[in-house]
Amino acid sequence: MFLKDPKFLGFYDLAMGETGMKALEEKILAEGIVSQGNVLKVSSFLNHQIDVPFMQQVGQEFYRLFKDERVDKILTIEASGIGVACLTAVCFDVPVVFAKKSKSKNLTNDCYTAQIASFTHGTTHEVIVEKRFIQPGERILVVDDFLAVGNALAGLIQLIEDAGAEVVGAGIVIEKAWQEGGKRIRDRGIRVESLARIQEMTPEKGVIFCDD
Ligand code: 5GP
């Protein structure tokens, strides 16, 4: 597949990897809006409108970071994770499964379930994945748009573990590094790669990235 062509990858290494995610940081600074309640809106390229060529570079960067691992499948959560998960999956040539927010309580035994408290909405919902879509022994990469307190990621990891599958790691587009999610998941020995790590943000000061 052409996306795996080393020359093609080299192009993206320059655009994303070697410059320390500069392109993503610049995009966040140019287009992100810091809202009240510690929420960053990136609706122009990630959460509402999707800048596909740009997000393709993000997917390519996740591929560069995890390409030495065996990845059988990518798991994300609806809705905002689906776009970036698909653009990552193209590079790995694997399917995407997205955990669905379940609307009914009458679940069958055919699903794995997890409870996830939403940081942005202040509600808890149940997410489900049909058992046939995560097989024991599969190696699964989790991809999501944001990491804040880590509930979404912990829920997805639980689904994988309940299935007897293996977590390769997590690719996160934007980590709000002052919140506990990154530490919480990394402390469990799980590899978390975040492409932009925000140290601090306020509507007045805007977004300040971590130095590392
Ligand atoms: P966590 O479960 O880590 O607290 O939050 C992760 C989930 O909440 C992500 O899937 C994302 O959809 C949403 N989220 C958390 N913080 C933000 C934010 O600042 N902006 C946006 N757009 N979504 C966020």
Side-chain angles (χ1 to χ4, degrees):
M1 169 179 290
F2 84 99
L3 281 171
K4 289 182 178 168
D5 184 316
K7 280 192 250 106
F8 185 85
L9 263 180
F11 170 75
Y12 283 115
D13 281 353
L14 268 183
M16 303 293 281
E18 287 177 11
T19 55
M21 292 302 109
K22 270 279 168 269
L24 178 60
E25 291 186 0
E26 281 165 13
K27 188 99 170 152
I28 293 168
L29 290 176
E31 299 181 26
I33 296 166
V34 182
S35 303
Q36 296 300 333
N38 273 335
V39 173
L40 176 65
K41 296 208 162 162
V42 282
S43 306
S44 63
F45 66 95
L46 177 57
N47 286 145
H48 193 6
Q49 172 172 265
I50 298 178
D51 182 338
V52 175
F54 183 81
M55 292 309 297
Q56 222 171 355
Q57 295 179 44
V58 168
Q60 195 70 38
E61 178 63 5
F62 286 139
Y63 177 71
R64 190 183 71 80
L65 290 164
F66 287 102
K67 67 181 185 310
D68 296 330
E69 302 279 352
R70 194 188 99 212
V71 173
D72 298 315
K73 212 163 260 184
I74 291 176
L75 178 67
T76 189
I77 181 167
E78 69 175 359
S80 305
I82 297 174
V84 63
C86 288
L87 291 165
T88 307
V90 170
C91 305
F92 284 97
D93 202 10
V94 298
V96 169
V97 177
F98 59 92
K100 290 180 156 196
K101 290 165 187 167
S102 110
K103 290 177 189 74
S104 65
K105 290 278 166 214
N106 52 349
L107 294 166
T108 68
N109 288 333
D110 299 335
C111 295
Y112 298 111
T113 65
Q115 305 294 324
I116 296 182
S118 161
F119 174 81
T120 40
H121 298 107
T123 50
T124 295
H125 46 248
E126 188 160 53
V127 297
I128 60 161
V129 168
E130 284 188 35
K131 287 185 176 172
R132 64 194 169 121
F133 295 131
I134 307 183
Q135 293 295 319
E138 279 186 324
R139 287 177 52 80
I140 315 253
L141 175 65
V142 181
V143 169
D144 203 7
D145 57 346
F146 275 87
L147 175 58
V149 300
N151 291 334
L153 191 47
L156 293 173
I157 290 166
Q158 185 210 308
L159 294 172
I160 295 170
E161 291 177 345
D162 287 352
E166 219 179 308
V167 181
V168 171
I172 301 293
V173 183
I174 302 170
E175 177 178 345
K176 299 196 290 185
W178 76 92
Q179 296 188 271
E180 69 267 29
K183 180 171 173 6
R184 182 178 158 197
I185 306 294
R186 289 184 182 101
D187 280 354
R188 292 171 58 180
I190 292 169
R191 179 179 172 197
V192 179
E193 297 283 358
S194 301
L195 304 191
R197 298 183 72 240
I198 298 175
Q199 180 185 306
E200 190 189 346
M201 66 181 198
T202 62
E204 299 74 32
K205 285 200 241 172
V207 175
I208 298 163
F209 294 100
C210 300
D211 286 334
D212 48 18

